Structures are given as C-alpha cells and as structure tokens.
C-alpha cells in the first residue's frame, strides 16, 4: 500500500482555470443575452415584420413587398459599395423623370417639330419663295469668305447629324422599331448613340467658332425693330431694309447659336461624361433640359434652313459660293449694300476667283 498522499484532482490551478472558464462562459452568455435583447430581430416591431415576412413566403412566395417598399422609398440603405448614391438602390424621382421624358417632353417636342415642319410646307405652298423684284445685274459681291462658309457648313452638317441621331434616340423605339424590327433598330440606335456622343464635342467647338466668326455682323441695330414689325416682308413680299444680316438671322444667331447652343452643350457634356460623380437627379434634369432645348433649337433651325434653301432665292448660293448678285444684296440687305457701295465697309475678301453671276430666276 503506497504511503504517497492520494493526489486531489482539483489543484488550485485547475480550480482557478475552471472558475475562470465558468465566469468567461457565463459572461459570454450574458453578453449574448444582452446583445440578443438589443438586436433588431428581437425588437417587437422587427420581430413582427420578420414573422409576417415568413408567413408571406408561405402564402405568397417571393413577395418581398416590405423590402421593396423600403427600397423604393429612396431612403439610403447600407452597402459595401463605395461611391455617390451607391446606398440608394432605387431613386423614386427616376419614375417622375421617365414619365416626364416619355409622356410629356418628347411627345410635345415631337408634335411641335411635325407641326412646324407642316406649317413651313404650307407657307411655302401658299406664298412660295421670296423672289427678287429687279433683274440680276450680273455683278457679284463677295458675301462670305471660304472660312465663313467652311465653319458654317461644318456646323450645319454636324447639327443635322446631331438632330437626326437625337431624334432616333428619343423617338426610335416608338416610331422606327415597329417599322424596321429589332435587329436593324438596335444597330441604328447603337450607331446613333455613338455618333451623338462623339459628334457632340465637335459640334460644341463649331458653335464657338461660328459665334466668333459671325458675332461682329450680328450686333442689333435700331432698324432691326422695323424688320421685326414687318415680319421681314415674308407676308407682304415687300423687302424690308436690313444690314448684312436681318433681324431674323440675328435672332437665330443670339437665340439659337448662342443661348440654345450653350444650354445643349452644357447639358450634353453632363450626359456625355457621366464620370464626374453626377447624381441620378443631375443626369435626369440634364436630360430633360437637353431634350427640351434641343427640340427648340431644331424648331428654330427649321426656319433657318427653310430661308437658307427654298424660302429665299439666292440665299443658298450666298453660303455655298460666297457671292451674291448686287440686286440680291440691294433688295434683301439694303443697308449692307449701301455701306459697301459707299466704301464704308469692305466686302468679304476675295479668297477665290469670282463665281459667274447667277442665272436669272
Ligand atoms: C443644313 C442646314 C443649314 C442651311 C441650309 C443653312 C443655310 C444658311 C444660309 C444660306 C445662310 C446665308 C444667309 C445670308 O446670306 O444671309 C446661312 C447663314 C448662317 N447660318 Fe446657316 N444653314 C444651316 C444650318 C445652320 C446651323 C446648324 C447653324 C448653327 C447652329 C447655322 C448658323 C448660321 C449663321 C450663324 C449664319 C450667318 C447669319 C447670321 O449670323 O445670322 N446654320 N445659313
């Protein structure tokens, strides 16, 4: 029988360790208890909605209405994704933007373009073009330099491309898609969107250059009010004297080229370069303003293009050859013609051999 004292199984260290263990576990359980008390799952309201959600999954599987109404509220949620507005899954104003764009702005803009186009066609059918009263002299005056014509036509054709691609982006789905089908329509829209995005900055450069090029001759003069009063003689067919550009052209210059030009350019850049941390709200407002002002710009351009092609005999020739007959200058831009004849102002410098006079019309 050994004399060694049987070793007590509970040495001080062991007791301490077990005691510490017990304390630690009870502390853990207590804190878990406390945490459980404070966790949302146990707040009454949350518990109720969690239960309702569970019941709903049984009665209406996948119906997460509470989740979606919270998401649709637009209230910021929690997300790991960094960046502006990343914690807003659905922005409610987006619905308003879509409704305004699809059922108001684009519809009114579309009909306004159709109505103005038809009104111009009806006016042409009723009154015909503005013709000269006197015969041509055969003597020509240089009206535009090569640079003025080049910047004009670069701006003109970029504008026309922007207008057509913009119309396809806005109305294509409702008008073209039913006519040409999905394949062709998707190609056309992708092409239009890219053309619009890439030609946009070029158009802005053109606007700046055409503004600088023509601003000097677009200063408003007293006699321009007289032109406005007589609507430029469009109805009476009696010519109203004007300077190098008449009040209608000056209105197109300041209202179209400058004001509408600035607004479509700024909003266009906001839309074209969405990488400056713009909010969805900013993009929506820029889109609505861009669409509305671009529509007004196109409406005004219809008038300018009509006068620059069918509406006034000899006008197109002025901007395509740079030369006008003296009779044309006298009847349509009398004060400009007088100043040239008096030697007060020079004609546009002859940077190309004179073009033979126009055939009588
Ligand atoms: C295809 C479309 C266009 C045609 C056929 C056209 C035609 C003309 C014609 C014939 C003139 C000369 C008028 C005159 O001698 O008094 C003219 C002048 C002018 N056009 Fe155009 N144009 C077009 C598009 C544009 C566009 C898109 C812009 C600018 C956004 C523009 C800006 C101007 C300016 C600034 C003048 C000088 C008159 C002024 O400053 O008021 N044109 N255009």
């Amino acid at each position: 029988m050994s004399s060694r004292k049987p070793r007590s199984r509970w040495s001080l260290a062991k007791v301490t360790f077990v005691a510490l263990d017990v304390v630690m576990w009870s502390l853990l359980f207590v804190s878990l208890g406390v945490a459980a008390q404070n966790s949302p799952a146990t707040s009454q309201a949350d518990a109720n909605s969690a239960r309702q959600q569970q019941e709903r999954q049984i009665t209406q599987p996948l119906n997460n209405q509470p989740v979606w109404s919270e998401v649709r509220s637009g209230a910021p949620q929690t997300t790991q994704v960094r960046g502006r507005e990343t914690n807003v899954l659905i922005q409610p104003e987006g619905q308003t933007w879509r409704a305004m764009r699809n059922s108001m702005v684009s519809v009114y803009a579309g009909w306004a373009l159709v109505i103005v186009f038809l009104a111009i066609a009806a006016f042409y059918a009723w009154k015909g073009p503005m013709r000269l009263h006197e015969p041509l002299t055969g003597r020509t005056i240089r009206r535009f330099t090569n640079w003025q014509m080049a910047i004009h036509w670069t701006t003109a054709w970029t504008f026309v491309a922007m207008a057509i691609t913009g119309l396809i982006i806005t109305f294509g789905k409702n008008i073209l898609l039913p006519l040409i089908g999905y394949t062709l329509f998707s190609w056309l829209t992708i092409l239009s969107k890219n053309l619009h995005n890439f030609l946009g900055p070029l158009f802005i450069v053109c606007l700046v250059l055409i503004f600088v090029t023509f601003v000097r001759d677009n200063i408003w003069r007293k006699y321009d009010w007289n032109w406005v009063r007589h609507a430029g003689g469009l109805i009476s067919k009696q010519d109203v004297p004007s300077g190098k550009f008449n009040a209608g052209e000056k209105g197109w210059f300041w209202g179209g080229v400058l004001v509408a030009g600035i607004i479509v350019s700024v909003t266009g850049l906001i839309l074209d370069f969405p990488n400056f941390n713009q909010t969805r709200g900013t993009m929506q407002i820029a889109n609505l303003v861009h669409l509305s002002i671009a529509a007004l710009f196109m409406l005004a351009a219809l008038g300018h293009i009509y006068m620059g092609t069918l509406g006034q005999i000899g006008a197109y020739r002025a901007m395509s050859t740079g030369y006008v007959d003296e009779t044309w200058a006298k009847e349509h831009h009398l004060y400009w013609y007088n100043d040239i004849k008096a030697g007060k102002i020079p004609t546009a410098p002859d940077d190309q051999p004179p073009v033979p006079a126009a055939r009588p019309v």
Side-chain angles (χ1 to χ4, degrees):
M1 180 63 200
S2 77
S3 64
R4 266 175 341 144
K5 234 164 42 57
R7 254 166 13 115
S8 80
R9 276 179 304 136
W10 290 97
S11 67
L12 186 60
K14 223 183 235 174
V15 171
T16 328
F17 178 73
V18 171
L20 266 180
D21 219 14
V22 170
V23 169
M24 286 292 293
W25 278 107
S26 40
L27 276 177
L28 183 66
F29 282 121
V30 169
S31 61
L32 280 176
V34 171
Q37 284 303 320
N38 301 337
S39 84
T42 57
S43 83
Q44 202 46 48
D46 289 330
N48 291 347
S49 86
R51 202 178 37 257
Q52 279 164 4
Q53 188 61 12
Q54 278 158 4
E55 282 157 15
R56 189 175 295 110
Q57 289 315 316
I58 297 160
T59 52
Q60 303 163 32
L62 300 179
N63 171 349
N64 286 330
Q65 187 273 340
V67 176
W68 288 110
S69 59
E70 195 170 331
V71 167
R72 288 195 66 79
S73 69
Q77 307 293 331
T78 327
T79 176
Q80 308 296 326
V81 185
R82 297 244 187 92
R84 195 165 200 189
E85 277 191 322
T86 51
N87 57 354
V88 178
L89 190 60
I90 296 181
Q91 181 231 22
E93 296 80 6
Q95 213 48 348
T96 324
W97 164 75
R98 217 162 63 88
M100 281 184 76
R101 181 195 178 279
N102 294 348
S103 59
M104 238 171 78
V105 180
S106 56
V107 171
Y108 291 157
W111 280 115
L113 284 166
V114 171
I115 291 166
V116 168
F117 185 84
L118 292 177
I120 291 175
F123 180 80
Y124 180 70
W126 171 40
K127 283 285 177 182
M130 286 184 86
R131 294 180 189 280
L132 299 176
H133 298 96
E134 300 294 321
L136 295 172
T137 60
R139 291 186 303 276
T140 55
I141 296 176
R142 182 84 169 143
R143 184 163 169 79
F144 296 119
T145 62
N146 283 354
W147 162 255
Q148 288 173 331
M149 291 189 283
I151 191 58
H152 175 268
W153 291 117
T154 316
T155 313
W157 293 120
T158 320
F159 178 88
V160 170
M162 295 301 285
I164 293 173
T165 51
L167 291 172
I168 290 172
I169 295 168
T170 312
F171 300 107
K173 200 168 134 207
N174 301 323
I175 297 176
L176 288 178
L177 178 56
L179 294 175
I180 61 175
Y182 282 94
T183 316
L184 195 53
F185 175 69
S186 64
W187 279 106
L188 193 62
T189 5
I190 293 167
L191 181 70
S192 302
K193 189 182 98 54
N194 286 301
L195 267 179
H196 202 84
N197 288 353
F198 285 99
L199 282 179
L202 169 68
F203 181 59
I204 297 172
V205 173
C206 288
L207 280 177
V208 174
L209 292 174
I210 206 171
F211 180 81
V212 174
T213 303
F214 288 107
V215 64
R216 208 178 42 167
D217 295 313
N218 277 286
I219 307 301
W220 194 267
R221 307 275 180 207
K222 245 207 217 113
Y223 54 66
D224 288 316
W225 292 115
N226 182 44
W227 193 96
V228 174
R229 269 194 297 278
H230 295 89
L234 277 175
I235 312 287
S236 65
K237 292 277 177 198
Q238 292 308 313
D239 269 297
V240 187
S242 76
K244 181 164 184 182
F245 298 130
N246 59 41
E249 289 171 305
K250 291 181 183 177
W252 161 244
F253 183 81
W254 294 106
V257 176
L258 183 71
V259 176
I262 289 175
I263 300 175
V264 288
S265 303
V266 172
T267 51
L269 288 175
I270 292 173
L271 296 167
D272 213 356
F273 299 98
N275 41 345
F276 291 95
N277 225 4
Q278 291 97 313
T279 63
R280 276 168 275 187
T282 309
M283 296 299 272
Q284 287 151 7
I285 293 168
N287 175 271
L288 290 175
V289 174
H290 189 76
L291 181 51
S292 324
I293 302 300
L296 291 176
F297 205 173
M298 284 190 271
L299 288 174
L302 283 177
H304 176 73
I305 297 171
Y306 168 67
M307 289 311 291
T309 50
L310 299 173
Q312 190 184 73
I313 305 283
Y316 184 77
R317 194 184 143 74
M319 192 49 97
S320 52
T321 66
Y323 287 89
V324 291
D325 189 89
E326 286 194 3
T327 307
W328 187 93
K330 203 170 162 188
E331 291 197 14
H332 293 315
H333 300 279
L334 180 62
Y335 300 135
W336 175 66
Y337 171 79
N338 290 345
D339 286 350
I340 288 180
K341 283 295 164 195
K344 276 193 202 152
I345 55 169
T347 65
D350 268 323
D351 47 12
Q352 68 173 35
V355 172
R359 281 191 319 284
V361 284

